[in-house]
Amino acid sequence: MDSQEVSMDIEAQIENNVDDRTLPFSIFKKANLPITLKFENVMYTVKVEEQKSWPCQTKGKTEERTILKGITGIVKPGEILAMLGPSGSGKTTFLTALGGRVSEGKGKLTGNITYNNKPFSKGVKRTTGFVTQDDALYPHLTVTETLVYTALLRLPNTMKRQEKIKQAEAVVTELGLERCKNTIIGGPFLRGVSGGERKRVSIGQEILINPSLLFLDEPTSGLDSTTAQRIVSILWELARGGRTVVTTIHQPSSRLFYMFDKILLLSEGNPVYFGLGSDAMDYFASVGYSPSVERINPSDFLLDIANGVGPDESQRPEALKAALVAVYKTHLLENVINEVKGPDDHSNHSIGSPGDSKHFGDWPTTWWQQFCVLSKRSLKQRRHDSFSTLKIGQVLIVSLLCGLLWWKTDLAHIQDQIGLLFFISSFWAFFPLFQQIFTFPQERAMLEKERSSGMYRLSPYFMSRVVGDLPMELILPTFFLIITYWMAGLNPNPFNFFLTLLVLLVHVLVSGGLGLALGALVMDQKSATTLGSVIMLSFLLSGGYYVRNVPVFIAWIKYVSIGYYTYKLLILGQYTESEWYPCGDKKCYVGDYEGIKNIGFHSGLVSSLALAAMLVVYRVIAYIALMRIGRTKSG
């Protein structure tokens, strides 16, 4: 049975029975708009700085490295293009370029990529689905919740809310996810759905919008052959609905190989084959590269020669790669160029934003809708982290320990009282800092994925995180103070208690804001944690409790210290300058106590304004830092 017969036999099997379910998708029988994807002489170069080894650790000369080296081809509606090649051959880079997701400033993309003979635009983005290799999904959301929230954000307002939910539920059914629809996605340390189910959820997020173009990066990576077959069968059926499907794939089985309409084989960024998958083996045989064994998986053979391993073992790998590139340019490139330049049935189809309402411009939903949906999603996802048994237990134990250690202290032990106030400011500086510092580094992949697809604006996402985290940020410190304050015997006046609580809550928000800013700026958990520790320790050391006679040349630190202003306001919330406390056999003014005198009872309004300014400034810094996430050259 030759390769053509194998391909026809597999297509017949798929048409008769794909994954034991009735296909095509009842809600996606046809793409809204057929799109022909063309790419001509696409090249991508990046500048690489040589790093000298330790102990120099200095940057060397900058050299330009070419990742993609003149790739030409065409994919029509109803076709699946599979890109094969060894690791590092440029498959993912090329897929990213075709999907309009090349990041600004990271490299130079040249050549011509068109969609129905038009350049990439926001209209193309609205009708494009892009499935990344690593499934960026929220671990604590269920399968249904994940798809429903995606539907509410990505589907246009021409559809009612209930229609969007029904569409998400239909996708769950069509992808065979009913069995796990109420199961959480899970993660590395949280049991959830299987790898194949995760991948189907990722694909489901993209086909919700009924895309005309669908890009997938290694959709079968890490999956067993049966699950991989199920995934590719879904792609095959989507393509038969008039969609243009492009995927990278590492080493498909023979069954999968013949399900692809076209194959692009890359070797170190060079194209060495582009054409029908069923013709690949015949082409290489015609140019003198036949497999050494009669029966071999075509993808194994293609990857071998792309790696420079051919039938002639005496031929050096580099020489074989160069020969394959030369043969491609001589025997195949002209035919590929002629196909690209040939007539296109879909060239006159204009690409807009399908379903976009004139009232909402470039976005499928309004700012307020995005904010509400993102807030609800954030609350469902984050409540498990913020109110975990570990964190509640930590706060409860520390509050009880403080209450017992400072049990019913009075003004006769004023030093102990101010020590407690400083500890409260210290503990609630680090706790929210490290809780918030991981927020954006952990969500970077998700933010990049959703922003690149044009799902929502950055501002509603950021505001939903800031507003949505308020209850979770403020509940634990409130319980902490309720327990500690009354056990420790601090000023029993309700006004003083609520003033102390207000200062503490503002302090928590400011420290959390610093964590958000550092996380957004650094985007690396280890580096951000180290930097945050150094900054917060500097603030605490200059807070006025440990060191009272600070040298002038470094005294400026206290004016940017969160701890300094919080400590001052906590003291102002407990005492008055003319208040008496027993000191030996006589009474002394609180304002004259050595530990309080340097802090003083003045400038309470200035300290309040300083904290208020920090509350805003840190979050503005975080927002500006996040603006670089999800930017692409094509908008």
Side-chain angles (χ1 to χ4, degrees):
M1 185 179 290
D2 62 21
S3 59
Q4 186 70 29
E5 290 174 328
V6 171
S7 178
M8 292 174 64
D9 180 59
I10 289 175
E11 287 195 13
Q13 291 180 38
I14 296 170
E15 288 175 346
N16 292 330
N17 183 15
V18 180
D19 191 24
D20 295 322
R21 291 179 287 110
T22 301
L23 288 174
F25 296 107
S26 57
I27 55 174
F28 301 134
K29 287 184 178 178
K30 280 190 176 181
N32 286 328
L33 174 71
I35 294 179
T36 298
L37 172 63
K38 295 181 181 179
F39 39 95
E40 302 174 68
N41 196 31
V42 175
M43 301 183 71
Y44 185 69
T45 55
V46 294
K47 290 184 178 180
V48 181
E49 290 182 341
E50 293 181 353
Q51 192 82 21
K52 293 185 179 179
S53 59
W54 191 88
C56 299
Q57 289 296 323
T58 56
K59 293 179 180 179
K61 62 180 182 180
T62 301
E63 65 175 33
E64 202 170 70
R65 184 177 300 170
T66 304
I67 308 298
L68 304 175
K69 303 172 183 177
I71 305 175
T72 298
I74 181 173
V75 196
K76 298 178 180 179
E79 294 180 339
I80 303 179
L81 169 66
M83 293 190 279
L84 277 72
S87 298
S89 60
K91 301 189 300 293
T92 298
T93 302
F94 187 48
L95 188 78
T96 304
L98 293 179
R101 297 193 174 202
V102 175
S103 299
E104 292 180 346
K106 289 189 177 181
K108 183 181 179 181
L109 181 68
T110 59
N112 194 26
I113 302 175
T114 60
Y115 312 80
N116 286 355
N117 292 332
K118 303 292 191 302
F120 190 84
S121 63
K122 289 183 178 179
V124 176
K125 178 189 280 190
R126 291 286 177 270
T127 191
T128 297
F130 198 107
V131 181
T132 56
Q133 181 175 354
D134 298 320
D135 302 312
L137 301 167
Y138 285 111
H140 289 288
L141 297 181
T142 66
V143 169
T144 300
E145 287 172 343
T146 299
L147 291 172
V148 166
Y149 284 127
T150 303
L152 293 176
L153 288 167
R154 295 194 72 177
L155 295 177
N157 276 340
T158 50
M159 298 177 66
K160 296 179 180 178
R161 176 185 174 87
Q162 201 57 39
E163 291 175 339
K164 295 181 182 182
I165 295 173
K166 285 182 178 179
Q167 183 134 319
E169 292 172 345
V171 169
V172 170
T173 302
E174 299 289 2
L175 293 181
L177 295 169
E178 303 100 318
R179 184 178 63 85
C180 61
K181 65 180 182 180
N182 295 320
T183 305
I184 62 171
I185 298 296
F189 306 106
L190 183 66
R191 188 170 183 177
V193 299
S194 67
E197 289 165 340
R198 284 175 62 92
K199 184 59 68 177
R200 277 183 280 165
V201 172
S202 294
I203 294 174
Q205 286 186 303
E206 301 306 317
I207 66 174
L208 266 169
I209 61 170
N210 192 13
S212 299
L213 273 169
L214 183 60
F215 299 97
L216 305 100
D217 191 10
E218 301 279 5
T220 61
S221 178
L223 304 180
D224 61 81
S225 60
T226 303
T227 306
Q229 168 82 14
R230 181 180 298 173
I231 296 294
V232 177
S233 296
I234 291 170
L235 301 183
W236 191 93
E237 198 60 42
L238 285 167
R240 293 307 173 265
R243 293 165 190 82
T244 306
V245 180
V246 182
T247 180
T248 64
I249 195 160
H250 186 62
Q251 201 160 6
S253 65
S254 297
R255 281 195 304 172
L256 298 188
F257 182 86
Y258 287 110
M259 290 171 67
F260 302 125
D261 299 289
K262 288 182 176 177
I263 297 294
L264 171 62
L265 180 63
L266 296 177
S267 176
E268 296 182 353
N270 290 295
V272 293
Y273 178 77
F274 179 85
L276 298 176
S278 56
D279 293 344
M281 299 297 286
D282 293 338
Y283 163 75
F284 284 105
S286 68
V287 295
Y289 297 99
S290 298
S292 56
V293 293
E294 185 176 345
R295 292 184 175 274
I296 187 174
N297 181 350
S299 64
D300 291 340
F301 172 72
L302 296 181
L303 286 173
D304 281 345
I305 61 173
N307 272 309
V309 180
D312 184 2
E313 296 181 359
S314 64
Q315 189 173 16
R316 293 173 55 199
E318 294 304 319
L320 176 56
K321 293 177 186 177
L324 288 171
V325 173
V327 168
Y328 170 79
K329 291 179 179 178
T330 304
H331 290 77
L332 204 56
L333 182 57
E334 185 177 352
N335 293 335
V336 175
I337 293 175
N338 290 336
E339 185 182 4
V340 172
K341 298 292 186 182
D344 179 9
D345 296 337
H346 309 288
S347 60
N348 294 325
H349 290 193
S350 61
I351 302 175
S353 300
D356 277 357
S357 169
K358 295 179 180 178
H359 299 291
F360 306 118
D362 295 329
W363 305 95
T365 52
T366 65
W367 190 99
W368 180 250
Q369 286 174 314
Q370 293 171 12
F371 171 76
C372 292
V373 173
L374 290 169
S375 296
K376 290 177 183 177
R377 188 180 71 173
S378 179
L379 281 172
K380 282 207 169 189
Q381 165 63 22
R382 298 270 293 171
R383 66 185 178 187
H384 300 278
D385 296 328
S386 299
F387 295 124
S388 65
T389 304
L390 183 64
K391 288 183 179 178
I392 293 174
Q394 179 183 359
V395 171
L396 184 63
I397 290 171
V398 172
S399 62
L400 290 173
L401 187 60
C402 289
L404 293 173
L405 287 172
W406 276 276
W407 179 261
K408 298 299 180 183
T409 57
D410 52 26
L411 282 174
H413 304 90
I414 191 170
Q415 178 61 39
D416 290 347
Q417 284 194 346
I418 64 173
L420 174 60
L421 295 177
F422 189 78
F423 174 80
I424 290 173
S425 69
S426 302
F427 179 75
W428 287 106
F430 280 99
F431 192 89
L433 174 77
F434 290 124
Q435 187 167 329
Q436 296 294 331
I437 208 169
F438 300 125
T439 297
F440 297 127
Q442 287 178 339
E443 291 195 2
R444 177 172 187 167
M446 178 65 73
L447 185 58
E448 286 180 336
K449 167 188 169 182
E450 295 182 337
R451 288 273 293 146
S452 296
S453 65
M455 189 181 292
Y456 48 73
R457 304 167 178 84
L458 179 61
S459 54
Y461 165 80
F462 186 79
M463 290 303 297
S464 70
R465 294 313 309 265
V466 171
V467 176
D469 282 348
L470 286 180
M472 295 178 282
E473 282 188 84
L474 303 182
I475 288 175
L476 289 180
T478 300
F479 278 110
F480 172 91
L481 192 66
I482 290 173
I483 295 171
T484 303
Y485 192 93
W486 301 109
M487 288 181 68
L490 295 174
N491 194 324
N493 190 311
F495 174 79
N496 295 88
F497 168 75
F498 284 110
L499 183 59
T500 303
L501 177 61
L502 177 62
V503 172
L504 177 62
L505 296 182
V506 172
H507 175 62
V508 166
L509 292 177
V510 174
S511 299
L514 177 60
L516 291 175
L518 293 176
L521 285 168
V522 180
M523 277 296 178
D524 178 78
Q525 295 185 23
K526 289 185 178 179
S527 300
T529 301
T530 303
L531 182 60
S533 299
V534 172
I535 291 175
M536 196 56 76
L537 284 172
S538 302
F539 287 172
L540 293 179
L541 289 174
S542 60
Y545 181 78
Y546 293 117
V547 185
R548 294 166 191 168
N549 299 308
V550 182
V552 176
F553 63 86
I554 202 172
W556 60 268
I557 294 180
K558 70 179 182 181
Y559 297 112
V560 294
S561 168
I562 301 171
Y564 172 75
Y565 295 116
T566 301
Y567 182 45
K568 177 190 279 286
L569 290 174
L570 287 175
I571 288 176
L572 293 178
Q574 285 296 304
Y575 314 109
T576 60
E577 188 172 11
S578 58
E579 189 174 358
W580 295 94
Y581 74 96
C583 51
D585 297 332
K586 58 180 182 178
K587 293 182 178 181
C588 304
Y589 286 115
V590 170
D592 293 332
Y593 182 71
E594 189 64 28
I596 296 178
K597 190 174 183 179
N598 290 334
I599 296 295
F601 284 86
H602 57 283
S603 303
L605 179 60
V606 173
S607 299
S608 302
L609 292 175
L611 287 181
M614 292 179 184
L615 183 67
V616 175
V617 169
Y618 286 145
R619 283 166 172 78
V620 170
I621 292 173
Y623 181 80
I624 294 173
L626 286 179
M627 290 175 68
R628 70 183 189 274
I629 303 296
R631 283 182 176 175
T632 60
K633 285 185 179 181
S634 303

